[in-house]
Amino acid sequence: MTSPDSALPPPPDTAPGALHAMQAQQQEPLWNAQMLERTEKLCRSGSFEIELPSGRLMMSAGLRELVGLQGEQTPEGGLNALSWVSPDERAYVAVIWRSATPDEPFEFEHRLVCTDGRRLVVLHRGVVHEVPGKSGRLRGVGMLQDITAQREAEQRLQQAMNHNEVTGLPNRAALLDHLDAAAHAARWSAGCFSVLALEVPRIAEVKASMGFGAGDTLSMALASRLAAACGPGEWVAHLGEGEFALMLEHAARPDPASLRARAEALCLQMDAPVRLGATDVFPSSRVGIARFPDDADEPAVLLERAQTARMGTNAAAPLGFFEPESSAQVVRALQLEAGLRRAVEDPEAGGQLQLLYQPQVDLSDGRIRGVEALLRWHDPVLGDVPPAEFLPVAERAGLSGAIGEFVMRRACAQAAAWQRAGLPRVRVCVNLSSAQLQRPDLAAHVQGILRATGADPSGLGLELTEGLAIADMSHASAVLRALRAQGIEIALDDFGTGYSSLGALRSLPLDLVKVDRSFVQDVTSAAHDVSVTRAIITMAHGLQLRVLAEGVETESQLSLLGANTCDLIQGRWFSPPVSADEVARMLREGRRLPERFVTRVRRGHTVLLVDDEENILSALKRLLRRDGYHILTASSAAEGLQRLAETEVDVIVSDQRMPGMSGVEFLRRAKELYPHTVRMVLSGYTELQSIIDAVNEGAIYRFLTKPWDDQHLRAHVAEAVRHKDMVDENRRLARQVETANADLAAVNARLAQSAAQQREHADLMALIAGSLRDVLDELPAAVIGIDPEGLVAFVNRKAEHSWPEAASLLGQSAATLPCMGFTEMGEGVCHASAGGHEHVVRVRPLRHGGLEGGRLVMLTPLGEETL
């Protein structure tokens, strides 16, 4: 078609109006065609015209572009052979067109196949009508619109609504829909199925300690395991956080034993360690099982009962079936919450909430240095409720903050009472809850409690777990620094059980590390277990922190901790948690550790002899025993390392040639593990280079030869012992200096804080004094201030106006004032002459704290007494 611009010129006799109309008629069809093409491209659509019943199509340019046809290409075969309609839907499209009712629009959706292979979803609209003058012939107009993007967005929305965003597994809503469908099917076929409710609490712990990214990674790993463990007829869902569910279909009612075996196998797969960074995390899942229709015949109730069954599980028994008694556990939890709320609202009622105190003993002198306040609850109805049962309930019910407040106030009041009673000073340690640590004003709040109870800040210790600290490290660090500046001791509790122990030690303002009871080993433990305990103590000491070991219950544990330079211990071996009166009795009696466990008392030096020849060991033992040493022997390097793990050794004397590991290699290893030992080689061989190298690098203190001279050998060992004593003394002095420096820094910080508070108080008093002077200056009466020494300290503006010479008398005796008659008055009203006028004089003494503070004199002209 030619454009309007290229049309032939009109005949010469054509009128201008007719010419304009002719041009408009020529342009209209082209404009309509262009408008249709642009509209189709804008809407991603195309249109066509169809003749019926032949099915021949005429396609628009937009439709050809949509399906990918070139130029004026038109599909052959008509309606039955549309190549751009999916083969399995061509008959469907043809039937709709051929069965359409004239003049009634219709629409439907189908797939469209482009010539380049793309598949689209299109909305197909159409209408047919009879061709005028041709009976029985129909013509239709249709339009196809690409709605692929809309349908994909709807699918994504549906996916998001019914799937967990982290793991991609179906969520609770999808699970309930699936259970509902399965229940309907089971009712018709008399079938049955089971629901397993799984919980992995470790996911929440990992999020709190390692971050949300690590928690999501653990969730995805467990979801993948669970999905991989599913077989035919099994369906898995992620209900949120650390909770999953699995539906198992059964052809017949399952045997409880087989169902338990299936659940145990699933737990075994789920509980395999997951590697997160450099840490292996053990998920530790728990499972509750409910069966349809035995336990419930409604999907929501069935899931709830599986969760109820899970609530009755624990670490020792992580799997449970729903039993009617399971509901009793839920009722028990509700009763605990209600009773706990009553106890918190009125903690003095019947003494329901009480504190017991467990002593903390210093290994350097055996004395009680502190006590940990431990909460106990006795309910009038429920009886004694253990903390392991009611503290989680308090956390879930939001009562941990109120309970923490009660414990802190009661503990501070008790510390003040012991101090007033003249008992030896002990520090009372209190555990901080998450609700307390989240308070931005915690330092000021604790200071208020100390002031109200009269407790000394240095007599209070606050303990928090790694999980609480790591949840918001920056906030925790700021709050704890403010508390520590007041002189309060800060301790990290349950050290070693978290995921960022070293990071917590380096970042938080700590004074003490409490080693978890799981790390408190005894001398019968394996060498590597003992090494872990020693490494924790050494690491904490390297960061200038004191170490307290919890859960010390045997003499063997106490001995090992003393040998490894632990600072304090706490546990039932010394004392279980006791009442405040029992603690007072212990303090009055001076109860302490037996002398044999006190590390400050110097016990005999220990010498370790290592040689694979029994006769050499016997000879050396007889020789050195006369000098009073405690002698240990080992017949191999491996046995020597075992002895070092069990007992604190001062001097090591080792043979060079031994099977498995040479003496030099053994002493190098000893230096790495126990650098404060003094190490010597005793050898009859002359291969000196390796020994010289070891001496130069500090692994060996001295090289001695076989056969030995008894006196020389005894002298060398004695010299080594003296060297060890000197090193130990230097370490002790260094620790004292470091402790003193830390104490001095804390004192300086408190002094700086006190000075700042005093400056603020002085500034405030100056401001108040200035404001009072302004007020006195504005009074309509003459006011004169006289200090306790009888000197004029203040003259207001009215007094200066009445007696101009009064201002010059500031700092002089009040007797020089023109109205001197009142200066001898203590208090009262009189008359005096000043400035040629009679005045009423009122004198008021000023007192502060019961002491004389001067006098205030106000003079009012006679006749103006009402002013």
Side-chain angles (χ1 to χ4, degrees), residues 435-466:
Q436 289 173 296
L437 189 60
Q438 290 169 4
R439 293 186 59 151
D441 64 335
L442 179 60
H445 182 67
V446 172
Q447 190 177 41
I449 292 176
L450 292 170
R451 188 182 299 113
T453 57
D456 188 340
S458 62
L460 176 64
L462 297 179
E463 301 178 3
L464 74 161
T465 62
E466 289 180 72

Side-chain angles (χ1 to χ4, degrees), residues 768-785 794-799 846 856-858:
I768 293 173
S771 301
L772 289 175
R773 181 182 180 91
D774 292 341
V775 171
L776 292 174
D777 272 339
E778 296 300 323
L779 288 177
V783 178
I784 300 172
F794 171 76
V795 178
N796 77 341
R797 188 178 296 115
K798 179 66 174 177
L846 301 176
L856 189 67
V857 180
M858 184 172 70

Side-chain angles (χ1 to χ4, degrees), residues 289-520:
I289 304 172
R291 293 157 293 182
F292 178 93
D294 296 347
D295 297 325
D297 59 359
E298 292 296 330
V301 178
L302 186 68
L303 176 59
E304 178 184 331
R305 291 189 172 173
Q307 294 169 321
T308 301
R310 189 192 63 223
M311 290 178 63
T313 62
N314 51 50
L319 189 148
F321 284 83
F322 174 78
E323 301 291 345
E325 295 79 12
S326 301
S327 299
Q329 297 176 356
V330 178
V331 173
R332 166 77 171 177
L334 295 174
Q335 290 175 336
L336 288 175
E337 180 178 342
L340 199 56
R341 287 188 183 278
R342 289 192 298 268
V344 170
E345 291 171 359
D346 189 5
E348 304 298 334
Q352 291 189 24
L353 293 178
Q354 297 179 343
L355 291 187
L356 297 181
Y357 303 88
Q358 187 168 36
Q360 299 172 338
V361 185
D362 194 332
L363 289 178
S364 67
D365 58 12
R367 298 183 183 278
I368 298 174
R369 294 301 180 189
V371 292
E372 181 180 3
L374 300 170
L375 183 65
R376 296 294 183 264
W377 178 31
H378 176 84
D379 185 81
V381 177
L382 302 173
D384 290 327
V385 184
E389 186 177 10
F390 74 77
L391 288 179
V393 172
E395 189 72 30
R396 291 194 300 268
L399 298 173
S400 57
I403 290 177
E405 175 84 2
F406 166 79
V407 172
M408 187 172 296
R409 287 189 178 275
R410 180 65 62 86
C412 289
Q414 186 59 64
W418 285 332
Q419 186 176 351
R420 289 193 298 269
L423 295 172
R425 183 189 186 88
V426 292
R427 178 179 280 110
V428 180
C429 301
V430 176
N431 289 279
L432 279 178
S433 68
S434 58
Q436 289 173 296
L437 189 60
Q438 290 169 4
R439 293 186 59 151
D441 64 335
L442 179 60
H445 182 67
V446 172
Q447 190 177 41
I449 292 176
L450 292 170
R451 188 182 299 113
T453 57
D456 188 340
S458 62
L460 176 64
L462 297 179
E463 301 178 3
L464 74 161
T465 62
E466 289 180 72
L468 290 181
I470 296 169
D472 189 349
M473 185 73 78
S474 60
H475 169 74
S477 181
V479 170
L480 295 179
R481 288 185 192 282
L483 290 166
R484 194 164 180 252
Q486 299 177 22
I488 299 170
E489 181 184 77
I490 306 298
L492 189 66
D493 198 8
D494 298 335
F495 177 74
T497 59
Y499 299 97
S500 302
S501 302
L502 184 57
L505 287 179
R506 295 178 59 190
S507 303
L508 295 172
L510 302 173
D511 300 291
L512 180 73
V513 169
K514 298 188 71 174
V515 180
D516 186 70
R517 64 182 61 243
S518 62
F519 293 96
V520 176

Side-chain angles (χ1 to χ4, degrees), residues 533-560:
T533 305
R534 181 183 293 109
I536 292 175
I537 295 172
T538 302
M539 179 176 62
H541 283 168
L543 295 171
Q544 313 306 319
L545 300 174
R546 291 181 300 129
V547 180
L548 183 148
E550 296 182 292
V552 179
E553 298 184 352
T554 66
E555 184 173 311
S556 179
Q557 292 173 339
L558 181 58
S559 298
L560 187 64

